[in-house]
Amino acid sequence: MVSRDIDIDIEFYSRDREPRRKDKDLFETVEEVFDKATVLAVIELMRRRCIKELKGVISSGKEARVYWAKGFDNEDIAVKIYLTSTAEFRKGILKYIRGDPRYEWITSLHTHKLMAVWARKEYSNLKQMYDAGVRVPKPLCVYRNILVMEFIGENGVRAPLLKELNDAKAIDSNMAERFFIDIIDNIYKIYWNAKLVHGDLSEYNVMVYRDLLYIIDVSQAVKIDHPNAHEFLYRDIQNIVRFFSNEIGIKTPRPEELFNGIVKGIREIT
Ligand SMILES: Nc1ncnc2c1ncn2[C@@H]1O[C@H](COP(=O)(O)OP(=O)(O)OP(=O)(O)O)[C@@H](O)[C@H]1O
Ligand SMILES: [Mg+2]
């Protein structure tokens, strides 16, 4: 899953100084995809001893790339870098931003600023969930358009998504039942403890590592008092129920039962 190495010499870049043009190794390897501001942001995170070395790309989506990297204790970390904001992305995020007084002002920002706010929003959602006991990657640091978090996987190989695990026929019905209860429990904790709704929950945003589920991709999560929060919550539950009942084939409660149970704060619903 790692496409190539990006070796950035940390001893060199972590020194307290401005990078010069002749720091050309870094610029040459990364400049195809990173603009200069992003390169400088990576260097700043190295100076802050958050990232030691960027190793390689794990995933390149439309707006963000996720990298496998090393921290200063030589531990694996995941670095999510927001790179572009297409017109489509702007339109998409409006849906989550409108009605959320925390973020309404950002719609007028230019790309760099917008990406930075979006990365910070993902970091703070992640932190709120992590502190509430939801199983998400531990957020480590954020700077400009870059979010650094715990790596879910081993030796630079990321853990599979729930979707991939099912495609590989690696989920039996006992596991499926356990996973289903666990996801509903995590949705409950996101709602009641973190006071948030994920808003893009599906088998594509859940990873499975050492037999445990990790919920990822939380940038679009909204507060429970957002005007569309309950619509998003219902959709999240529907996606999960559809996956477990239609694709894996286990018996589940109906989405409306689960939704009512969660909103009313009834824990024993599954
Ligand atoms: N903490 C992590 N540890 C390991 N891999 C991760 C981590 N976070 C994300 N990934 C990998 O990167 C992929 C993309 O991450 P994420 O879903 O957060 O971004 P995205 O913007 O939705 O990208 P996409 O458009 O590809 O879905 C994930 O599907 C997963 O494979
Ligand atoms: Mg995703």
Side-chain angles (χ1 to χ4, degrees):
M1 268 143 217
V2 172
S3 61
R4 67 176 173 168
D5 269 9
I6 299 168
D7 287 316
I8 295 177
D9 179 355
I10 180 53
E11 294 310 322
F12 192 66
Y13 287 104
S14 60
R15 267 179 253 149
D16 245 338
R17 56 166 181 65
E18 281 286 293
R20 289 160 293 159
R21 269 317 285 174
K22 76 172 191 193
D23 296 347
K24 86 178 182 336
D25 284 352
L26 173 62
F27 284 91
E28 264 177 14
T29 26
V30 296
E31 77 186 344
E32 300 158 41
V33 284
F34 289 178
D35 51 29
K36 192 167 173 195
T38 300
V39 173
L40 292 175
V42 172
I43 292 170
E44 174 58 20
L45 282 167
M46 291 174 160
R47 201 190 61 77
R48 293 182 184 187
R49 300 181 73 79
C50 175
I51 303 174
K52 185 171 174 205
E53 196 185 352
L54 275 190
K55 300 291 276 183
V57 183
I58 299 170
S59 147
S60 33
K62 275 201 299 288
E63 277 77 33
R65 287 185 154 224
V66 178
Y67 290 82
W68 163 45
K70 285 284 184 182
F72 276 78
D73 294 325
N74 212 37
E75 75 283 21
D76 283 344
I77 51 178
V79 178
K80 185 168 180 177
I81 306 186
Y82 283 95
L83 286 168
T84 45
S85 79
T86 55
E88 203 186 326
F89 176 71
R90 280 178 176 268
K91 223 169 74 196
I93 68 175
L94 277 181
K95 203 167 66 217
Y96 297 97
I97 298 268
R98 280 205 191 107
D100 185 339
R102 294 179 305 168
Y103 294 101
E104 229 160 32
W105 52 275
I106 84 166
T107 50
S108 61
L109 293 178
H110 290 297
T111 301
H112 270 123
K113 273 272 163 59
L114 185 68
M115 295 293 94
V117 174
W118 204 244
R120 182 161 294 276
K121 181 170 177 331
E122 176 149 25
Y123 178 87
S124 73
N125 286 338
L126 212 49
K127 181 158 174 21
Q128 231 165 304
M129 291 186 197
Y130 186 82
D131 291 346
V134 180
R135 214 172 311 102
V136 290
K138 182 179 185 189
L140 300 173
C141 31
V142 63
Y143 179 67
R144 303 239 163 113
N145 55 333
I146 305 178
L147 158 69
V148 184
M149 64 190 141
E150 177 189 358
F151 186 84
I152 309 301
E154 241 163 292
N155 303 323
V157 181
R158 67 162 177 88
L161 301 174
L162 190 55
K163 161 78 182 160
E164 294 167 336
L165 207 62
N166 187 48
D167 287 349
K169 309 238 175 303
I171 304 181
D172 63 32
S173 60
N174 278 340
M175 251 168 115
E177 270 162 31
R178 207 158 33 78
F179 284 170
F180 182 74
I181 291 172
D182 193 39
I183 293 204
I184 299 300
D185 195 50
N186 274 286
I187 296 178
Y188 185 99
K189 282 186 189 151
I190 294 175
Y191 188 88
W192 284 103
N193 303 359
K195 305 273 193 279
L196 293 169
V197 169
H198 186 290
D200 191 22
L201 199 59
S202 75
E203 63 274 26
Y204 293 92
N205 281 331
V206 177
M207 300 182 84
V208 187
Y209 180 53
R210 295 191 171 158
D211 213 29
L212 290 175
L213 302 181
Y214 288 79
I215 291 172
I216 60 163
D217 206 0
V218 303
S219 58
Q220 70 294 311
V222 297
K223 284 174 55 162
I224 53 175
D225 57 10
H226 183 286
N228 303 107
H230 290 90
E231 180 198 321
F232 296 152
L233 174 63
Y234 192 79
R235 197 180 55 193
D236 284 353
I237 294 171
Q238 256 183 331
N239 286 341
I240 295 301
V241 166
R242 178 201 37 75
F243 177 71
F244 279 88
S245 63
N246 299 0
E247 293 198 31
I248 301 192
I250 61 166
K251 224 171 131 15
T252 66
R254 285 176 298 118
E256 47 276 33
E257 285 177 68
L258 292 162
F259 176 84
N260 288 333
I262 287 173
V263 171
K264 287 184 189 139
I266 303 165
R267 194 80 187 238
E268 308 310 326
I269 36 178
T270 39

